[in-house]
Amino acid sequence: MYKNILVPISFDAERNISVPLKLAKLFAKSEATVTLLHVVEPIPSFVRNYIPDDELIKQRKAIKSEIDKLTATLTNTKGLVIEGHAGRTILDWAKTNKPDLIILSSRRPKMPDLLLGSTASHVVRYATCSVHVVR
């Protein structure tokens, strides 16, 4: 089984986050560390000017609260919310923290994505550890 598992979490309506969490429980050794990672995509500056600062802070707190609720469902779990491009940020975190498994969900692909969503596709192609993709 695995000792260090990364589970990127997306709160999109079309993604089921319960399956990656169940798999993390299944694949984790008793002393394993599981990290739930949510990546907040940067807001373009031309849009950013129209969003009040307090609204961004409120949304960030809500996301952190949801991640904290999810971490309570697993043992030896930590939750992180970081900003960046989803695929690159997941890979950068993985390069630094060396997980031995990444479990991520993929949405139903549209034609340009072919078989996997763009984030899942990017992670599968460039990760240096095992990647388990679920729908």
Side-chain angles (χ1 to χ4, degrees):
M1 293 300 183
Y2 299 95
K3 295 179 185 175
N4 186 4
I5 300 174
L6 171 62
V7 183
I9 299 292
S10 174
F11 294 109
D12 295 350
E14 57 193 29
R15 286 195 172 85
N16 182 355
I17 59 177
S18 66
V19 176
L21 295 176
K22 287 178 187 175
L23 287 174
K25 287 179 187 178
L26 179 68
F27 292 149
K29 286 186 174 182
S30 60
E31 70 279 358
T33 300
V34 176
T35 303
L36 305 181
L37 175 69
H38 179 79
V39 179
V40 177
E41 295 272 346
I43 299 170
S45 60
F46 65 90
V47 175
R48 171 69 182 90
N49 294 332
Y50 296 101
I51 302 173
D53 289 337
D54 59 331
E55 182 61 29
L56 293 175
I57 292 168
K58 183 174 130 185
Q59 288 178 358
R60 183 90 173 209
K61 284 181 181 178
I63 291 168
K64 181 63 173 141
S65 174
E66 288 300 314
I67 288 288
D68 290 344
K69 287 179 192 173
L70 293 173
T71 60
T73 66
L74 298 165
T75 58
N76 297 332
T77 305
K78 62 181 176 179
L80 298 173
V81 178
I82 55 180
E83 191 169 320
H85 174 271
R88 286 191 304 264
T89 303
I90 291 166
L91 291 171
D92 289 345
W93 189 95
K95 184 177 181 180
T96 302
N97 295 279
K98 310 268 189 266
D100 44 9
L101 175 64
I102 299 172
I103 303 172
L104 73 153
S105 62
S106 178
R107 59 179 165 70
R108 295 274 179 217
K110 294 182 175 69
M111 194 57 171
D113 299 325
L114 296 178
L115 299 176
L116 292 172
S118 58
T119 299
S121 178
H122 189 77
V123 172
V124 167
R125 282 192 183 102
Y126 298 106
T128 57
C129 64
S130 297
V131 178
H132 192 104
V133 180
V134 296
R135 284 199 189 142

